[in-house]
Amino acid sequence: MSGFKADFLWGGAVAAHQLEGGWKEGGKGVSVADVMTAGAHGVPREITNGVLDGKNYPNHEAIDFYHRYKEDIKLFAEMGFKCFRTSIAWTRIFPKGDELEPNEAGLKFYDDLFDECLKHGIEPVITLSHFEMPFHLVTEYGGWRNRKLIDFFVRFAKVVFQRYQHKVKYWMTFNEINNQANFHEDFAPFTNSGLKYAPGEDREPVMFQAAHYELVASALAVKAGREINPSLQIGCMIAMCPIYPLTCAPDDMMMAMNAMHRRYWFTDVHVRGKYPQHLLNYFERRGFALDITEEDKAALTQGCVDYIGFSYYMSFATKATADNPQLDYDESKSLVSNPYVQKSDWGWQIDPVGLRYSLNWFWDHYQLPLFIVENGFGAIDVQESDGTVNDQYRIDYLAAHIREMKKAVVEDGVDLMGYTPWGCIDLVSAGTGEMKKRYGFIFVDKDNEGNGTLNRSKKKSFDWYKQVIASNGDNL
Ligand code: P53
């Protein structure tokens, strides 16, 4: 093959809660994203007990895509997008999550949004759950620690598959389901699974239980989606940060392998429909008594995914230490700085070669089509007095990653479906809640405190990406 497929899905990616705003419009309920304040690099977002007066909740207005999506999609079309990845805010469809009937105003919003995309020849790529589950499911049910969530999620999935089956072909179930491997910090358990831990609670088995229910829910959703319409393509979504050994010392290599096991077993279950033996042995060693039934195991085998969607921003590194003889991975403690790569202002290690490695790793393990559904450079952009933004650093980052992606396809023979850079229009950062951590080709005039006109303007990278798409990845 000389390059990317003729029907390669170039586009951009966002998530409902990070750009829509309109947090109460059209009957929308409160989501987990609506109770998270703005933080900063090194300052975690506060998760409040409901929406409190006097706090800054950046997702409530976000970039007001809810009212401005026509203007924004027109700009995406101008760049030549073939597809647009977003999510459906669960709380627009089931405001509390446990209702029996969906909210028609929410369904109508996505009908209009998808129609607008299709009008411009842009294929919607849709995530069902992207860090925005109903907050009611947290307060009433304890989030995904409760088995009942499976039914609520599957009901939501069936409603939207049924409704949009002729408008949306590509779906993913849970965004970055494996982020919660980092269960010692509060962010991932809450955004992935609506988990709030009691002080001193043994967090790890709770995470595995929640993830198990999600994997069953994902499999049941995949099965239901196929029954509704066999032409739907339903994938998983994994946050890929490959973990390198700091040195070639054999124990460092084993530590890296164990770390990969602990961060990526989720993919095994999604793709193969069963737990890897190393994890079952780990549950036994740790004495975790998880609620995994025979029906669950059967369900997992019946809902294997069609493709692997993944995000790639950075690689990690780890090393063995004397106080960890079993070489167990604890993401809050086991990572070390890689001296061979640069870091972004937010400490994310910049490693384009890691993308080629990741593509090969996924392909070697699973032989399923791959879709890079997030990649990008969060940076502080400066708008000049004439309104322009010279984001050459973003162009450099993306070009370097696309070059490696091409090697994976052309030289290594990986089957790659498409590429949707993250935050194709500036939006609220998930990790920090900041506006100033920008990823877009399109600048949005809004700051961390919520000031600004919300006007859109093209950055330098806008015309660059347009050329990339027009040349199917040849003009970088
Ligand atoms: P922000 C951590 C590591 C890798 C990806 O992230 C991550 C996270 C969580 O912060 O999240 C994904 O906005 C996620 C998006 C998110 C994007 O990466 O923290 O799917 O919702 O916005 C970038 O810079």
Side-chain angles (χ1 to χ4, degrees):
M1 196 190 278
S2 61
F4 301 111
K5 301 175 185 184
D7 58 355
F8 193 77
L9 289 166
W10 295 100
V14 300
H17 71 283
Q18 289 172 261
L19 89 166
E20 285 179 4
W23 72 293
K24 280 184 174 167
E25 306 243 1
K28 182 183 169 296
V30 176
S31 78
V32 292
D34 292 325
V35 301
M36 294 178 76
T37 66
H41 182 36
V43 184
R45 302 183 70 173
E46 187 189 348
I47 298 166
T48 59
N49 197 8
V51 175
L52 307 181
D53 287 343
K55 298 273 183 187
N56 176 11
Y57 296 107
N59 301 74
H60 287 189
E61 180 190 54
I63 62 158
D64 195 35
F65 182 77
Y66 187 79
H67 296 109
R68 297 167 193 245
Y69 68 86
K70 290 190 179 165
E71 178 193 347
D72 295 339
I73 290 167
K74 205 166 157 216
L75 287 166
F76 300 155
E78 195 183 326
M79 274 186 279
F81 279 23
K82 315 282 181 209
C83 74
F84 172 54
R85 173 179 179 237
T86 187
S87 59
I88 294 177
W90 188 345
T91 49
R92 292 201 190 281
I93 313 302
F94 289 99
K96 291 174 143 183
D98 57 359
E99 299 90 339
L100 295 176
E101 294 304 323
N103 169 36
E104 179 53 33
L107 287 167
K108 171 82 169 46
F109 170 69
Y110 291 105
D111 262 324
D112 295 345
L113 174 63
F114 301 154
D115 286 344
E116 192 66 22
C117 291
L118 295 168
K119 191 175 104 186
H120 289 283
I122 297 174
E123 178 133 43
V125 174
I126 299 303
T127 318
L128 290 173
S129 185
H130 191 133
F131 306 170
E132 56 213 355
M133 62 185 280
F135 185 59
H136 175 78
L137 297 182
V138 177
T139 54
E140 291 304 306
Y141 298 89
W144 279 95
R145 68 174 77 216
N146 192 324
R147 180 177 274 281
K148 291 193 180 124
L149 276 267
I150 297 176
D151 288 345
F152 302 146
F153 178 81
V154 174
R155 183 178 303 140
F156 162 56
K158 282 183 180 167
V159 164
V160 297
F161 287 149
Q162 192 71 48
R163 176 87 169 210
Y164 308 122
Q165 57 174 307
H166 302 298
K167 298 182 182 178
V168 179
K169 177 175 173 192
Y170 296 103
W171 298 83
M172 280 165 276
T173 54
F174 291 93
N175 184 65
E176 294 190 336
I177 188 169
N178 62 319
N179 272 356
Q180 54 198 325
N182 190 1
F183 54 85
H184 285 295
E185 284 162 22
D186 292 336
F187 175 81
F190 188 66
T191 52
N192 274 140
S193 305
L195 294 178
K196 285 186 158 185
Y197 287 108
E201 185 172 12
D202 185 4
R203 291 178 166 223
E204 193 172 8
V206 179
M207 179 278 286
F208 280 117
Q209 189 64 67
H212 171 70
Y213 292 148
E214 286 162 3
L215 289 161
V216 172
S218 172
L220 291 170
V222 169
K223 184 166 179 263
R226 285 201 186 114
E227 281 161 13
I228 289 166
N229 189 331
S231 72
L232 301 185
Q233 291 288 302
I234 311 173
C236 58
M237 197 317 202
I238 304 292
M240 184 41 139
C241 308
I243 307 168
Y244 302 166
L246 183 64
T247 76
C248 47
D251 276 351
D252 281 355
M253 188 60 216
M254 282 309 295
M255 180 66 201
M257 190 195 77
N258 283 356
M260 289 296 282
H261 277 168
R262 208 69 83 231
R263 235 189 107 84
Y264 299 104
W265 64 270
F266 302 80
T267 330
D268 292 12
V269 182
H270 272 305
V271 173
R272 302 189 180 123
K274 63 177 185 150
Y275 280 81
Q277 193 61 42
H278 65 73
L279 196 63
L280 297 174
N281 289 10
Y282 180 69
F283 292 163
E284 201 177 300
R285 164 155 74 84
R286 298 296 309 275
F288 295 157
L290 302 178
D291 171 30
I292 300 178
T293 66
E294 291 306 314
E295 289 81 9
D296 292 348
K297 290 184 195 165
L300 291 177
T301 63
Q302 291 165 23
C304 298
V305 293
D306 296 310
Y307 68 94
I308 298 169
F310 72 94
S311 64
Y312 179 83
Y313 293 89
M314 59 188 145
S315 58
F316 290 163
T318 191
K319 69 179 171 73
T321 53
D323 61 354
N324 182 16
Q326 307 258 37
L327 304 177
D328 282 329
Y329 177 66
D330 171 349
E331 195 155 311
S332 64
K333 286 201 284 215
S334 305
L335 297 179
V336 295
S337 178
N338 178 343
Y340 299 97
V341 301
Q342 306 276 307
K343 294 187 181 66
S344 80
D345 288 341
W346 278 264
W348 290 20
Q349 300 191 145
I350 303 165
D351 177 12
V353 175
L355 177 57
R356 180 178 181 186
Y357 174 74
S358 298
L359 285 160
N360 275 279
W361 188 90
F362 275 126
W363 182 245
D364 286 351
H365 278 77
Y366 305 112
Q367 288 88 42
L368 274 191
L370 303 173
F371 196 164
I372 302 167
V373 296
E374 292 184 27
N375 172 234
F377 191 56
I380 297 169
D381 290 338
V382 178
Q383 202 175 21
E384 307 297 334
S385 50
D386 63 355
T388 56
V389 175
N390 184 1
D391 58 343
Q392 186 60 42
Y393 38 88
R394 181 167 295 108
I395 295 173
D396 294 343
Y397 176 101
L398 294 170
H401 284 75
I402 295 171
R403 274 187 205 104
E404 294 301 323
M405 173 171 118
K406 198 178 214 170
K407 288 181 199 162
V409 170
V410 176
E411 296 178 32
D412 309 331
V414 163
D415 182 0
L416 183 62
M417 298 161 61
Y419 178 70
T420 56
W422 176 252
C424 47
I425 180 165
D426 290 346
L427 38 60
V428 177
S429 157
T432 69
E434 293 167 293
M435 270 306 297
K436 78 167 186 200
K437 190 180 186 189
R438 297 174 185 273
Y439 288 86
F441 304 115
I442 300 164
F443 186 87
V444 177
D445 178 25
K446 183 171 177 175
D447 67 17
N448 279 356
E449 286 70 43
N451 305 310
T453 61
L454 289 169
N455 281 346
R456 276 64 165 152
S457 56
K458 299 173 192 173
K459 301 181 195 175
K460 184 176 181 191
S461 56
F462 185 101
D463 287 322
W464 172 80
Y465 192 47
K466 185 176 172 178
Q467 278 305 307
V468 172
I469 298 178
S471 63
N472 199 20
D474 281 345
N475 280 355
L476 297 175

